Amino acid sequence: MPILRLLVLLGERMIHMSVRRTIQLTAEGVSRLQAELQQLEHSLLPELKQRIQQATEDGDVNDNTEFDDLKEEFMQTEARIRDIEQTLERAEGIA
């Protein structure tokens, strides 16, 4: 078996294994993540969308560092939302 194919197979197996792995969280930990998720989805993300829309309506965004910063914050917020969702999906409650 060629080494590249072996590495691809091992990589696929590692990805598959990491998806199935459970994460142990207390009830308080789950609650904190759920609260953070709510805040991000229903407060911060809509605010960032509105600010990005306003920045695009205000003019040229090609060399606008504020616009670039908003886009970066938006992407980081979306990534954090995905991370929390995945954590909660794999969460296993502990006492």
Side-chain angles (χ1 to χ4, degrees):
M1 178 178 291
I3 189 75
L4 182 58
R5 178 71 180 139
L6 180 61
L7 291 175
V8 169
L9 289 174
L10 286 174
E12 289 173 359
R13 184 168 183 235
M14 290 173 70
I15 290 170
H16 183 66
M17 288 172 53
S18 69
V19 171
R20 296 184 323 174
R21 189 179 66 212
T22 60
I23 298 172
Q24 294 184 340
L25 290 174
T26 63
E28 181 181 346
V30 170
S31 292
R32 285 183 181 179
L33 286 176
Q34 289 171 334
E36 182 182 356
L37 182 61
Q38 284 290 107
Q39 191 270 337
L40 292 173
E41 288 182 325
H42 300 289
S43 182
L44 184 58
L45 205 58
E47 176 190 331
L48 288 170
K49 286 179 182 179
Q50 181 181 12
R51 290 172 57 198
I52 289 170
Q53 181 178 356
Q54 185 65 42
T56 57
E57 291 172 358
D58 286 347
D60 186 21
V61 294
N62 291 331
D63 287 332
N64 188 332
T65 57
E66 180 182 355
F67 180 73
D68 292 338
D69 291 345
L70 285 171
K71 287 192 314 184
E72 180 66 28
E73 186 176 356
F74 183 83
M75 289 187 298
Q76 289 176 352
T77 302
E78 284 186 320
R80 179 63 181 148
I81 288 170
R82 283 190 306 275
D83 183 48
I84 293 171
E85 289 172 340
Q86 290 172 358
T87 299
L88 290 173
E89 287 172 6
R90 298 185 325 220
E92 179 182 276
I94 59 172

